[in-house]
Amino acid sequence: VGLSVTLGMMNFVNLAHCSFAAVGGYCTVTLMNSFGWPFFASLPMAFLMGCLVSVVLERALYRRLYRASDLDQCLLTIGIAFISVAAFAWFYTTEQQSARVPDYLKGSVQFLGVNFAVYRLFLILVGLSITGILVVLVEKTRFGAQVRAAVDNQRMARGLGIDVDRAFMFTFALGGGLAGLGGALAIEVIGLDPAFALTYLVYVLIVVAVGGLGSIGGS
C-alpha cells in the first residue's frame, strides 16, 4: 500500500521501497532485542523511522527526478536498494533476524474445521484498517486533493497556492512510513535479513500492478 501511494499517486518509480521496509524491520529488531521494548511499542517507531529515511532521501535525491524518465528513477532507486543491502549486512551481519511477538498472537484458532494462525488474522485486520484510513485520507481530505492536484498538474497546483514540494514530501513520508510498519509486521512471517530489500521487491511490485496503479483498495 505504501508503494501504491508513491508509485500510483505520484508516478515515481521507487524500487527502494522495500529498503524502507527493512529499515522499519531492523528498527523493531534493535528496539526489542537490544533495549527490551515490547512489540507494539516498537511499531510506531518503525513507522517513524521509515518516514524519516524516506524524507531524507526525498529531499536529497528523489525530488531532483520527479520529471525524469522512468529509467532514471529506476536506476537511482535500485542503486539505493543495493546500497541498503550492503549497509544492513555491515551493521547487522547476514544472519536472519527475529523479533518475539506477544504470546496471545501466537497459535491458531479453528473455524469451520480450518486452522487459522492468530498472527495472520491480526495482520489481515491491521491491513484492512490501514487501507480504510488511507482511502479516507486520500479521497476525502484536503491533503489528498492537494496531492492529486500536484501530481496531475504541478504548474496549475502552484498557481492555486498549493505547496507542491511539501505535499510530495508528506506523501513520500507516508509511503515510507507504511513500508517501515510493514517490514516490522512481516518479521514474524518471513523473517528479516539484508537481502530483504531485493527479495520481496518483485512481490510488492506485482501486488501494486495487479491492484492497479494508484488504487489503494486494489493493493
Side-chain angles (χ1 to χ4, degrees):
V1 174
L3 184 62
S4 182
V5 170
T6 53
L7 177 59
M9 290 179 56
M10 299 180 63
N11 298 319
F12 190 92
V13 185
N14 182 23
L15 298 184
H17 184 77
C18 285
S19 296
F20 300 151
V23 166
Y26 279 111
C27 176
T28 294
V29 165
T30 301
L31 291 175
M32 292 185 65
N33 296 341
S34 298
F35 297 97
W37 283 41
F39 177 69
F40 283 105
S42 70
L43 294 182
M45 296 306 298
F47 179 87
L48 292 176
M49 188 59 68
C51 289
L52 177 62
V53 173
S54 62
V55 166
V56 170
L57 288 177
E58 193 274 339
R59 294 287 90 179
L61 299 173
Y62 287 3
R63 65 184 304 183
R64 305 172 188 271
L65 293 179
Y66 282 145
R67 298 184 180 180
S69 67
D70 291 342
L71 178 59
D72 289 337
Q73 295 175 356
C74 285
L75 289 174
L76 171 70
T77 54
I78 198 67
I80 292 173
F82 277 108
I83 292 172
S84 72
V85 170
F88 294 138
W90 175 269
F91 288 105
Y92 291 93
T93 74
T94 57
E95 295 182 0
Q96 189 87 355
Q97 303 290 328
S98 62
R100 180 181 175 84
V101 301
D103 291 336
Y104 55 82
L105 290 179
K106 296 181 178 180
S108 61
V109 295
Q110 192 173 63
F111 181 71
L112 297 179
V114 180
N115 286 325
F116 296 93
V118 174
Y119 190 75
R120 292 178 184 271
L121 293 176
F122 165 73
L123 291 183
I124 292 173
L125 292 176
V126 172
L128 291 176
S129 300
I130 291 175
T131 300
I133 293 171
L134 281 179
V135 168
V136 173
L137 178 67
V138 172
E139 297 183 0
K140 305 295 184 181
T141 67
R142 181 181 180 85
F143 168 75
Q146 288 180 344
V147 172
R148 296 196 305 273
V151 172
D152 290 340
N153 193 322
Q154 286 192 33
R155 188 175 180 182
M156 180 65 73
R158 293 182 192 276
L160 293 172
I162 296 175
D163 190 336
V164 174
D165 292 336
R166 188 176 67 174
F168 279 3
M169 182 185 70
F170 280 121
T171 304
F172 251 107
L174 177 62
L178 289 172
L181 178 60
L185 290 170
I187 297 174
E188 176 69 13
V189 178
I190 58 179
L192 179 67
D193 59 61
F196 186 97
L198 296 175
T199 303
Y200 297 100
L201 176 60
V202 174
Y203 298 103
V204 173
L205 289 172
I206 289 174
V207 168
V208 173
V210 173
L213 294 181
S215 172
I216 294 174
S219 293

